[in-house]
Amino acid sequence: MQRHGYQAYLVGGCVRDLLADIEPKDFDVATDATPEQVKRAFRSCRLIGRRFRLAHIHFGRDYIEVATFRGSGNGDDRTELTKEGRLLADNVYGSIDEDAVRRDFTVNALYLDPQRGQILDYVSGYRDVRARTLRLIGDPEARYREDPVRLLRAVRFAAKLDFTIEPRCAELIATLGTLLKNIPPARLFEEALKLFLSGHARRSFDLLQEYGLFRALFADTAAVLDGESGAASLEMLRAGMANTDERIASGKPVTPAFMFATLLWPAMRRHQQQLEAQGHTVADAIHMAAEWAVFRQVARISIPRRFSTPMREIWQLQPRFENRHGKRVGRLMSHPRFRAAYDFLLLRVLEDESLEP
């Protein structure tokens, strides 16, 4: 980019992580070039996005994301807000200092020029990285309302980085959690993956509970956790999150299907028991309760069928572990979800001590 005559800097999480002695997983670039100019400069470039126009420069299977400096957008018809203050469209370009104040947290607004070895800091982000503090840029309430997903990002960064959320920014999280109802379920699905499948699921879960955001994402499960059997279910969920973190740390595969099976189990299980009390068989009760749980959850967090189907299979295999005689054992062990279902059974022991894995 610089050889083409543009300003260009590494920006955001990669700079923050380097300063915090964390190995970055990816690198983003900010530039004064427009997306169209970036595309003309690189044959391997692809433009994406409507709300934020971005350039992806591909190198084999990898790519570098390049974003044009954003401007304030004051009075510009290319910036659109909802009545709640949420930003719907934003393709206003500006200077690097304008771009810095448009970013969410100070620690994500640091720019690194690798040619000169120089860091540009317009919002005291370097100070906050050293103090291990998460602080929103500008008025915290306005910034949360502009994009309520920042509520979840605050939790995720605090969990990942082991940073403390600045008191005012933390105080507002619990009071503004209802704003998440305005976020599309598909976007919340992507945020859920980042929260629970990035190696810090246990800490993310605890912080979501602490700040009252878990209910905004998983209302039916939260209702069970508040009930008489909530303590046992809570122990199971926390163990499930810890196990996921251990698998990621050891390089083992993880899947959203198992994660959602764990997070939705308390709600599904309670509904299953209610159906059994009404006279339904165990198999029918599980089937109907699984349909109910998925139907209610996808209204809040969209779960693609490629994950919801194996999730249901993990649940539906649970009663079959109680019958371990004859050919049924062989059929059970040959099921493609057997390993996941057995691992899930081991988790359930924490909720129900009568089980014998």
Side-chain angles (χ1 to χ4, degrees):
M1 293 296 298
Q2 291 178 356
R3 285 200 299 270
H4 282 282
Y6 299 113
Q7 295 181 55
Y9 304 90
L10 292 169
V11 66
C14 62
V15 183
R16 176 202 68 213
D17 289 354
L18 286 168
L19 292 174
D21 296 323
I22 298 172
E23 183 178 351
K25 291 187 177 181
D26 50 37
F27 294 86
D28 295 332
V29 171
T31 179
D32 61 349
T34 67
E36 291 72 22
Q37 288 172 324
V38 177
K39 185 173 177 61
R40 287 196 292 269
F42 295 90
R43 287 183 296 177
S44 60
C45 177
R46 179 180 171 218
L47 301 186
I48 66 163
R50 289 186 300 174
R51 178 185 169 197
F52 295 115
R53 195 74 166 150
L54 300 169
H56 282 180
I57 301 174
H58 290 263
F59 302 88
R61 294 184 178 181
D62 298 322
Y63 66 85
I64 299 294
E65 185 169 278
V66 180
T68 305
F69 296 147
R70 303 282 164 183
S72 64
N74 292 333
D76 194 301
D77 60 7
R78 288 174 294 174
T79 299
E80 182 182 351
L81 298 176
T82 67
K83 63 181 181 180
E84 294 88 7
R86 184 161 61 94
L87 194 62
L88 293 179
D90 177 26
N91 278 306
V92 181
Y93 303 137
S95 61
I96 185 172
D97 55 326
E98 290 177 314
D99 186 76
V101 298
R102 286 299 314 278
R103 294 181 179 270
D104 50 9
F105 298 94
T106 61
V107 299
N108 292 339
L110 294 167
Y111 301 77
L112 171 62
D113 184 339
Q115 300 292 340
R116 298 180 177 87
Q118 179 185 23
I119 290 178
L120 283 71
D121 180 6
Y122 297 89
V123 293
S124 300
Y126 184 86
R127 176 200 64 190
D128 286 340
V129 171
R130 291 306 186 199
R132 307 186 70 81
T133 298
L134 277 176
R135 186 191 315 273
L136 280 161
I137 300 169
D139 176 62
E141 182 170 353
R143 300 313 302 277
Y144 281 140
R145 288 187 179 277
E146 188 178 86
D147 184 1
V149 166
R150 287 173 180 151
L151 299 163
L152 301 177
R153 284 169 63 83
V155 166
R156 176 159 61 88
F157 290 142
K160 172 187 175 180
L161 303 167
D162 194 25
F163 280 18
T164 300
I165 304 175
E166 186 271 334
R168 177 59 178 161
C169 297
E171 175 188 346
L172 287 165
I173 294 177
T175 61
L176 297 178
T178 56
L179 292 175
L180 290 172
K181 70 179 185 296
N182 300 316
I183 301 300
R187 190 176 178 205
L188 288 183
F189 171 75
E190 295 300 327
E191 291 301 319
L193 298 188
K194 295 174 184 177
L195 282 163
F196 298 117
L197 295 182
S198 297
H200 45 81
R202 169 68 177 270
R203 181 62 178 153
S204 294
F205 175 78
D206 288 344
L207 288 175
L208 289 172
Q209 286 280 92
E210 178 181 342
Y211 290 114
L213 292 182
F214 186 76
R215 179 177 300 279
L217 299 178
F218 300 95
D220 292 320
T221 296
V224 176
L225 297 182
D226 290 340
E228 294 182 1
S229 62
S233 295
L234 178 63
E235 183 180 2
M236 175 188 168
L237 290 182
R238 296 186 77 198
M241 299 300 104
N243 288 349
T244 297
D245 292 341
E246 291 171 6
R247 290 183 65 87
I248 292 173
S250 60
K252 296 179 180 179
V254 293
T255 170
F258 193 92
M259 176 193 76
F260 281 109
T262 304
L263 290 166
L264 298 180
W265 170 261
M268 193 288 296
R269 178 63 171 164
R270 184 173 70 174
H271 196 61
Q272 172 200 340
Q273 292 170 337
Q274 293 170 345
L275 291 169
E276 288 182 36
Q278 295 171 11
H280 293 281
T281 65
V282 172
D284 286 345
I286 290 180
H287 176 77
M288 289 188 290
E291 291 288 330
W292 171 87
V294 173
F295 175 78
R296 288 177 61 86
Q297 187 59 43
V298 296
R300 178 82 323 267
I301 297 178
S302 177
I303 307 175
R305 187 166 296 180
R306 67 182 184 276
F307 300 127
S308 65
T309 296
M311 176 185 73
R312 296 180 208 198
E313 292 175 345
I314 289 171
W315 289 341
Q316 290 165 347
L317 285 176
Q318 296 306 302
R320 293 176 59 178
F321 285 103
E322 299 176 13
N323 192 335
R324 310 178 191 183
H325 304 286
K327 296 181 179 179
R328 293 182 179 180
V329 175
R331 288 197 295 267
L332 174 60
M333 294 183 67
S334 65
H335 195 283
R337 308 295 175 202
F338 168 76
R339 184 69 248 184
Y342 182 75
D343 289 343
F344 193 77
L345 177 67
L346 296 179
L347 271 184
R348 290 182 56 210
V349 173
L350 298 173
E351 184 184 47
D352 184 353
E353 296 180 354
S354 67
L355 294 173
E356 294 183 7

